[in-house]
């Protein structure tokens, strides 16, 4: 008899987005003529920018020549991409990091799910609630939690409520934990942590000998230049933080797949004998064993994001989505909805109308307005009573969805 990993049995229902997909597919099957508009999963809709397409095409051509052919890519990524990341994403904002502190990967979902593997199974961790489900589920799978309780929270996790009262950007918890997952700009609430909040976190992590896992997948959507884009803009963060970033949303790579994780050399954890040991080496060892890198054409495509044309074209795409977010936010708000986010992130976080539960609103919006969103409760118990709309869609669909929501539920 082959035993399976029993921790998987603790997971609640399906992963959020497949569950939404299942409900939408069932509805579409029963109502084949219903004109659905999907503002659920945050998946980009604009075509790849021309600078990216041309870099990818050139790289493919190169691979078809004897001199340009390449086999396995380097473990952490090609120097041309690592150097471009260090220069444009960090040095340009006053953050010095060495390009060998960057690990190129095929996505921030994978990195934020895999990173827990390099920490001890007894490590205690905290998440904000509502939360991107990957941080929680991967730790459940690894056996770092107890069972799910009646309120939907797992035993053994420290949940930090992100509420209207704290602007959905809570500060550190009262008790010590080893690891904290932070996401800013935040998925799902679409809000952003300012410098003051990030300084509190870095100060807390340093005095508690804890590590912050900072997911900055949506940093390109920050519209106020004074707001930090990186946790490493906060002094002292090199000793207590890991950062993840992605090309998925900033450059339309959700299907192409490219992201990266930064682990400063100063960051250490503790061995059983109490000695300090490098987290960077631990992750390098993990990646070298389990990951064979990102393909050459994809890394060339990612590097093209940093060329003058690439920056301009992807910047226009980000601005396009943010104009969608502005229309949703302002349109809903003037129709009497209470709305958050959407200023520095492509997500709108709205209170559900008429006191409806999140899934109840999801079902009604789907059946009455044929609009798909994401129920806040799917991101954790503190998301109950809220609903997320994604700004990733065509202008026409966003405007149409807005009118439908206003007509069915507006005051
Ligand atoms: C979301 O809708 O929350 C995102 O698309 C999920 C992801 O990036 O994995």
């Amino acid at each position: 008899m082959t035993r399976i990993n029993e921790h998987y049995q603790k997971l609640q229902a399906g992963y959020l987005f497949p569950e939404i997909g299942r409900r939408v597919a069932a509805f579409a099957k029963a109502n084949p003529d219903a004109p659905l508009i999907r503002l659920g999963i945050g998946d980009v809709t604009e075509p790849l920018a021309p600078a990216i397409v041309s870099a990818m095409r050139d790289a493919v051509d190169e691979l078809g020549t004897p001199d340009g052919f390449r086999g396995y890519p380097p473990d952490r990524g090609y120097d041309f991409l690592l150097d471009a990341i260090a220069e444009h994403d960090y040095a340009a904002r006053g953050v010095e990091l060495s390009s060998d502190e960057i690990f190129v990967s095929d996505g921030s979902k994978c990195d934020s799910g895999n990173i827990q593997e390099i920490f001890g199974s007894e490590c205690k961790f905290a998440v904000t609630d509502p939360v991107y489900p990957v941080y929680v589920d991967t730790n459940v799978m690894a056996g770092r939690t107890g069972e799910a309780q009646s309120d939907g929270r797992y035993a053994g996790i420290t949940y930090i409520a992100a509420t209207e009262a704290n602007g959905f950007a809570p500060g550190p918890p009262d008790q010590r934990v080893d690891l904290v997952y932070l996401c800013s700009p935040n998925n799902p609430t679409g809000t952003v942590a300012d410098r003051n909040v990030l300084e509190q976190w870095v100060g807390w992590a340093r005095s508690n000998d804890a590590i912050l896992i900072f997911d900055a997948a949506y940093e390109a959507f920050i519209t106020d230049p004074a707001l930090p884009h990186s946790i490493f803009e906060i002094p002292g963060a090199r000793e207590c933080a890991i950062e993840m970033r992605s090309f998925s949303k900033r450059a339309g790579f959700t299907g192409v797949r490219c992201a990266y994780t930064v682990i400063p050399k100063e960051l250490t954890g503790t061995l059983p004998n109490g000695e300090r040991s490098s987290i960077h080496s631990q992750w390098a060892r993990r990646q070298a064993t389990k990951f064979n890198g990102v393909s050459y054409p994809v890394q060339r495509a990612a590097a093209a994001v940093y060329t003058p044309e690439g920056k301009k074209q992807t910047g226009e795409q980000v601005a396009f989505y943010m104009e969608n977010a502005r229309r949703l936010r302002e349109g809903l708000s003037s129709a009497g909805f209470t709305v958050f986010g959407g200023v520095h992130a492509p997500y709108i976080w709205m209170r559900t109308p008429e006191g409806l539960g999140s899934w109840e609103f999801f079902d009604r919006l789907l059946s009455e307005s044929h609009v798909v969103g994401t129920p806040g409760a799917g991101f954790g118990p503190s998301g109950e009573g809220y609903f997320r709309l994604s700004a990733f869609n065509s202008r026409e669909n966003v405007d149409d969805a807005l009118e439908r929501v206003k007509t069915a539920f507006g005051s």
Side-chain angles (χ1 to χ4, degrees):
M1 197 165 58
T2 309
R3 278 193 54 177
I4 59 169
N5 179 347
E6 75 266 23
H7 301 301
Y8 277 56
Q9 310 308 307
K10 298 175 193 162
L11 294 167
Q12 298 169 80
Y15 182 62
L16 175 61
F17 294 106
E19 172 59 21
I20 290 173
R22 196 188 57 72
R23 292 193 190 205
V24 173
F27 176 80
K29 193 167 173 212
N31 304 273
D33 298 327
L36 283 176
I37 300 179
R38 295 168 199 266
L39 304 182
I41 189 165
D43 194 1
V44 288
T45 51
E46 288 295 288
L48 286 176
I52 292 168
V53 173
S54 124
M56 199 186 291
R57 190 177 284 138
D58 289 349
V60 172
D61 286 344
E62 230 182 306
L63 290 180
T65 65
D67 288 346
F69 176 73
R70 288 165 163 83
Y72 290 121
D75 272 2
R76 286 184 304 96
Y78 285 103
D79 284 342
F80 62 78
L81 179 56
L82 299 173
D83 292 345
I85 291 169
E87 181 189 337
H88 296 276
D89 284 350
Y90 291 97
R93 289 195 60 87
V95 176
E96 286 309 319
L97 52 87
S98 149
S99 55
D100 67 355
E101 294 175 313
I102 302 166
F103 297 78
V104 170
S105 77
D106 59 348
S108 285
K109 180 178 182 179
C110 322
D111 285 355
S112 65
N114 291 332
I115 196 78
Q116 48 77 28
E117 275 185 29
I118 63 169
F119 297 105
S121 53
E122 69 293 347
C123 279
K124 295 285 172 223
F125 72 101
V127 293
T128 55
D129 169 25
V131 63
Y132 180 46
V134 173
Y135 315 150
V136 169
D137 287 5
T138 52
N139 278 285
V140 173
M141 292 167 172
R144 221 172 262 113
T145 72
E147 299 290 335
Q149 300 159 338
S150 55
D151 63 357
R153 291 179 167 191
Y154 288 93
I157 303 181
T158 299
Y159 289 87
I160 307 163
T163 60
E164 290 182 26
N166 58 32
F168 301 100
D174 297 333
Q175 76 268 41
R176 187 188 175 279
V177 290
D178 300 288
L179 297 165
V180 181
Y181 291 84
L182 294 176
C183 177
S184 181
N186 188 260
N187 180 11
T189 63
T191 52
V192 70
D194 62 15
R195 185 173 295 274
N196 174 42
V197 171
L198 296 181
E199 282 172 355
Q200 284 176 41
W201 275 107
V202 168
W204 173 89
R206 286 168 64 90
S207 46
N208 285 276
D209 195 9
I211 293 178
L212 307 176
I213 299 170
F214 190 74
D215 183 347
Y218 297 93
E219 60 73 37
F221 296 85
I222 293 175
T223 47
D224 176 354
L227 287 166
H229 284 231
S230 166
I231 192 74
F232 300 121
E233 288 179 49
I234 309 300
R238 286 184 61 85
E239 286 85 30
C240 67
I242 293 172
E243 177 161 294
M244 280 140 197
R245 292 215 193 166
S246 171
F247 294 94
S248 282
K249 313 291 160 76
R250 82 190 272 191
F253 274 50
T254 53
V256 174
R257 311 303 308 150
C258 197
Y260 64 86
T261 286
V262 176
I263 308 188
K265 298 273 181 61
E266 287 91 326
L267 187 68
T268 58
T270 315
L271 292 170
N273 65 6
E275 268 176 37
R276 306 295 296 196
S277 181
S278 158
I279 301 289
H280 180 281
S281 317
Q282 189 97 340
W283 183 245
R285 184 69 180 78
R286 190 262 173 215
Q287 291 297 82
T289 301
K290 294 195 174 184
F291 184 59
N292 251 344
V294 173
S295 77
Y296 179 68
V298 167
Q299 292 199 50
R300 278 288 180 203
V305 173
Y306 299 105
T307 60
E309 317 78 68
K311 274 188 186 172
K312 180 169 175 291
Q313 293 162 4
T314 55
E316 283 165 3
Q317 291 182 341
V318 165
F320 171 81
Y321 293 128
M322 289 310 288
E323 170 60 14
N324 284 350
R326 187 194 66 77
R327 287 171 180 241
L328 285 171
R329 194 183 72 240
E330 292 180 5
L332 288 169
S333 168
S334 58
F337 294 92
T338 305
V339 178
F340 306 91
V343 181
H344 303 294
Y347 295 124
I348 304 296
W349 188 243
M350 60 188 282
R351 263 195 231 154
T352 52
E354 302 165 18
L356 293 169
S358 294
W359 279 106
E360 223 180 331
F361 182 55
F362 171 89
D363 287 330
R364 280 195 50 194
L365 198 59
L366 177 61
S367 61
E368 292 170 31
S369 310
H370 309 149
V371 172
V372 182
T374 308
F379 297 101
S382 298
E384 181 54 273
Y386 293 90
F387 199 75
R388 194 192 77 174
L389 291 174
S390 152
F392 294 113
N393 215 311
S394 66
R395 184 65 38 79
E396 192 190 353
N397 278 349
V398 162
D399 286 346
D400 190 356
L402 176 62
E403 285 316 307
R404 294 190 201 180
V405 178
K406 279 164 49 175
T407 307
F409 298 96
S411 53

